[in-house]
Amino acid sequence: MMKVDALPIRALVTKIGLDGHDRGSRIVAAYLRDAGMEVIYTPPWQTIPGVVKLATEEDVDVIGISSLATDHLIVPKMMDALRAAGLGHVQVIVGGIVPDEEKTALLAAGVSRIFGPGSAREEIVDCVTALGRQSRAARSDEFSEATP
């Protein structure tokens, strides 16, 4: 049996809501893929239930949400939906245009990190790697508590 830590980090890169500008999310998906991660990429206009379903089916460690409009404002609802689905261990990052006054609400909802335009490739990859490991550690703690 292969150790979970030996498997590539699984990242879902998506856009929720009505924002169709996906150039940045495609670039970030390529960064993560080139760093050796397994990337599940969706086209724009995803729904919260659709993202939660895909995160469950694909057993992801990290979800990256891209927002260039105001779609980041529905991320707190997505965080609630992830927890309700038993996916509280999945780490979520948001990238794109997020006004400073709205960042606090995202972080309070459980978003791990917010990246603005011009964030460096290494910074994004390093963060997703660390969050993926954190997600797996939380999940293995969950499994060890459930095993008698």
Side-chain angles (χ1 to χ4, degrees), residues 2 32 86 90 117 123 129 142 148:
M2 183 178 274
L32 302 178
V90 175
E123 182 182 10
T129 300
E142 179 183 307

Side-chain angles (χ1 to χ4, degrees), residues 11 13 26-39 125:
V13 178
R26 286 184 284 129
I27 290 169
V28 169
Y31 289 169
L32 302 178
R33 180 203 62 217
D34 292 349
M37 296 181 206
E38 290 185 17
V39 178
V125 169

Side-chain angles (χ1 to χ4, degrees), residues 8-14 28-29 32-33 37-42 54-55 58-64 90-91 93 128-129 132 136:
I9 290 169
R10 295 180 59 82
L12 170 60
V13 178
T14 189
V28 169
L32 302 178
R33 180 203 62 217
M37 296 181 206
E38 290 185 17
V39 178
I40 299 91
Y41 179 81
T42 71
L54 190 57
E58 294 291 343
D59 196 24
V60 300
D61 303 304
V62 179
I63 298 174
V90 175
Q91 302 295 308
I93 61 171
V128 173
T129 300
R136 289 186 179 180

Side-chain angles (χ1 to χ4, degrees), residues 122-140:
E122 298 79 22
E123 182 182 10
I124 295 168
V125 169
D126 290 348
C127 178
V128 173
T129 300
L131 290 173
R133 290 180 182 143
Q134 185 178 337
S135 175
R136 289 186 179 180
R139 191 164 184 205
S140 67

